[in-house]
Amino acid sequence: MSDHVVPVRVYLIIFFTLMVLTALTVRVAFTDLGPMNNVIMLGIAITKATLVVLYFMHVRYSDRLTWILVSTGFVFVVLMVLITMSDPLSRGWLGTPGS
Amino acid sequence: MSERVGTVAHAHAHHFDDAEQQHSASTLGMWLFVVQEILFFGGLFTVYTVYRSAYAEPFAHASHHLDVTLGMINTAVLIASSLTMALAVHAAQVGRRAGQVGYLLLTILLGSVFLVIKTIEYGHKFHEGFFPGPNFRYPGDEAKAAEIFFSLYFAMTGLHALHMVIGIAILAVLVVMALRGRFGASYYTPVEVTGLYWHFVDIVWIFLFPLLYLIGRH
């Protein structure tokens, strides 16, 4: 359980990592990498969110029930976006009937 | 069973085996709420994805009207507030009352700085005519799509800011509780679950910053 006392040193390391990743994402935004821009920026955001969840929110030190609950939340957001996007992204595939 | 915490004795409710189980149930319950919040904001991120895929170019151009410097400063301020929040939980766990009060106040201060900067940004956008509605003004021929971008900008950052206002109010209550010596090594649940909420709000911003401020900058 989260009775585990996380050392202050760990919090500071996570804090500095988050700051460096923020600077990195801004640096990437102003560099033209084509479609990779979105991929890298989203990757950095997911990395930052994961660090916050695991260390600041103590999930790394929590029981398995918490792990399942937290993953479920994020998995369902991904499902919501993917299933919704399957419609607009596939609309042009079959053409418009009658034209 | 009851345990001494600071100057206050703390007992667990009768339907729990012990204080440890009660603490587990509280954090799990808070996580359930946070997961619901993730899905709530997830709905807005879904709308964003649909419209950005439909209007990629206009969204990138509209994003240029946001202030990256202020957005970046606010990201740093919010991450710093997450650190002070985590340190407040730490201070509660080890029973350092001065640390609890100090770090909670620092978290409130950083949260307020974020909101002040956000208010300044909103002021600029209102002044430039970027608030969606009958008075929306936008240069060029992409006004319709840009209005959708700014609708999402105000809806998402506005809801995020509302969460911060609520968070600051809860933190203020925690400061009073900490001053009264309510938290210690065997009871710090309110600080812990407020921390979960505060860090969640930080996570929302971690995604809002690149998705709103940083698209099509190169």
Side-chain angles (χ1 to χ4, degrees):
Chain A
M1 206 27 247
S2 29
D3 261 335
H4 186 95
V5 178
V6 183
V8 170
R9 192 176 48 87
V10 173
Y11 286 138
L12 290 175
I13 292 169
I14 298 300
F15 169 73
F16 284 114
T17 312
L18 290 172
M19 286 299 196
V20 169
L21 287 173
T22 303
L24 188 67
T25 202
V26 175
R27 185 74 190 78
V28 167
F30 285 93
T31 315
D32 192 356
L33 303 168
M36 285 309 284
N37 271 88
N38 287 325
V39 178
I40 294 172
M41 271 155 58
L42 210 55
I44 292 175
I46 291 169
T47 308
K48 285 166 75 181
T50 309
L51 287 175
V52 172
V53 167
L54 287 182
Y55 293 94
F56 282 176
M57 297 171 96
H58 302 158
V59 168
R60 188 174 185 278
Y61 312 100
S62 298
D63 50 28
R64 219 169 274 178
L65 188 57
T66 310
W67 273 87
I68 294 170
L69 185 61
V70 175
S71 330
T72 309
F74 287 105
V75 166
F76 268 80
V77 170
V78 173
L79 282 179
M80 177 154 60
V81 173
L82 288 184
I83 295 173
T84 307
M85 286 309 290
S86 70
D87 171 15
L89 289 181
S90 64
R91 271 185 205 181
W93 292 0
L94 295 175
T96 312
S99 65
Chain B
M1 193 193 87
S2 96
E3 290 170 74
R4 304 289 299 176
V5 180
T7 53
V8 188
H10 205 85
H12 57 85
H14 67 87
H15 52 284
F16 291 110
D17 289 340
D18 49 35
E20 163 75 15
Q21 191 193 40
Q22 175 166 284
H23 178 81
S24 284
S26 297
T27 45
L28 192 69
M30 192 62 196
W31 262 114
L32 206 53
F33 173 72
V34 169
V35 164
Q36 174 275 130
E37 288 268 72
I38 291 169
L39 288 164
F40 171 66
F41 274 95
L44 282 165
F45 281 107
T46 308
V47 176
Y48 170 91
T49 312
V50 169
Y51 280 103
R52 185 172 156 193
S53 75
Y55 303 110
E57 284 291 306
F59 264 47
H61 297 151
S63 172
H64 285 210
H65 293 281
L66 299 181
D67 192 324
V68 177
T69 311
L70 289 182
M72 196 167 77
I73 291 170
N74 255 354
T75 308
V77 167
L78 211 50
I79 291 173
S81 83
S82 258
L83 174 69
T84 57
M85 184 71 235
L87 292 175
V89 174
H90 185 270
Q93 284 176 325
V94 298
R96 279 182 45 232
R97 197 185 301 180
Q100 294 165 29
V101 175
Y103 286 126
L104 287 171
L105 286 174
L106 212 51
T107 311
I108 292 177
L109 177 73
L110 289 165
S112 307
V113 168
F114 178 95
L115 288 174
V116 167
I117 293 176
K118 202 74 222 142
T119 310
I120 294 170
E121 275 191 87
Y122 275 3
H124 290 163
K125 297 297 157 273
F126 282 129
H127 185 72
E128 289 168 286
F130 292 152
F131 187 74
N135 296 320
F136 185 76
R137 284 181 286 109
Y138 190 79
D141 52 4
E142 292 174 336
K144 280 258 187 289
E147 194 170 2
I148 296 175
F149 175 85
F150 280 104
S151 298
L152 284 166
Y153 167 78
F154 279 105
M156 294 171 104
T157 59
L159 267 173
H160 177 266
L162 177 67
H163 277 77
M164 299 224 20
V165 172
I166 295 168
I168 288 171
I170 298 170
L171 286 170
V173 176
L174 287 188
V175 170
V176 176
M177 289 171 83
L179 281 171
R180 290 180 182 167
R182 296 279 289 278
F183 308 126
S186 57
Y187 182 70
Y188 55 89
T189 306
V191 192
E192 167 98 5
V193 297
T194 306
L196 291 180
Y197 176 82
W198 193 262
H199 298 310
F200 159 75
V201 175
D202 187 17
I203 289 176
V204 172
W205 185 260
I206 282 173
F207 285 95
L208 285 180
F209 175 56
L211 290 177
L212 293 173
Y213 289 76
L214 297 178
I215 53 177
R217 287 282 173 183
H218 48 272

